[in-house]
Amino acid sequence: MKIVTQDTSYTKENQRHRWAVCILTVLTITLAVLTAAIPGILLMLRRADAQVALGNAKSLRLALEMAALECYASDRPFADASCEGGVAGEVLTRVLTDSKAPGDFWVLQTDESGYELRRFLYQEGDFTVMYQKEPLTYEVYYRQTFIQTHDPRREKDS
């Protein structure tokens, strides 16, 4: 009678190989899912940031309209193309305080009297919001830099 013994080293090596294949398969599938999901997640985050910029632009519009009414009532100028933001200096401070908007704005157009806001531009980070009164629209744009150059010679000239 002959006793047959199995070589267990081959089966242990085979099991290790199977586990390695299983782990690599799971990692590959996980990486594929994440690669497909990341652009969607980034788009959702960018959309949320766009909603915040839109909300700040609406708050800014209300502050601009209130400042224009106050200027009209006290017979002070509201719009001034030569000043920052396109409004008189004291109006700029008041609007920024009232709206608490963290970005920059430019009044692009008022009516003939110079007190009714028709169009303005608001920029917050990489988002730009364009407001137009007639028809009432807000358009939110996203800016993404693809190429940025730097010319050190320009700094020397300044």
Side-chain angles (χ1 to χ4, degrees), residues 13-79:
E13 185 179 312
N14 200 10
Q15 283 180 336
R16 285 186 199 137
H17 179 71
R18 285 183 193 163
W19 276 107
V21 168
C22 286
I23 290 171
L24 287 175
T25 303
V26 168
L27 287 174
T28 303
I29 290 171
T30 304
L31 183 61
V33 168
L34 286 176
T35 303
I38 286 175
I41 292 169
L42 290 175
L43 183 63
M44 287 188 327
L45 291 173
R46 201 170 289 137
R47 176 141 175 100
D49 289 342
Q51 289 289 342
V52 170
L54 176 62
N56 287 336
K58 288 180 177 183
S59 173
L60 179 67
R61 188 201 83 195
L62 292 174
L64 283 166
E65 288 178 348
M66 290 303 299
L69 285 173
E70 289 174 4
C71 288
Y72 181 75
S74 61
D75 200 29
R76 291 178 299 160
F78 169 70

Side-chain angles (χ1 to χ4, degrees), residues 2-21:
K2 189 173 179 185
I3 298 177
V4 178
T5 60
Q6 278 188 331
D7 185 13
T8 58
S9 65
Y10 175 73
T11 57
K12 285 183 182 178
E13 185 179 312
N14 200 10
Q15 283 180 336
R16 285 186 199 137
H17 179 71
R18 285 183 193 163
W19 276 107
V21 168

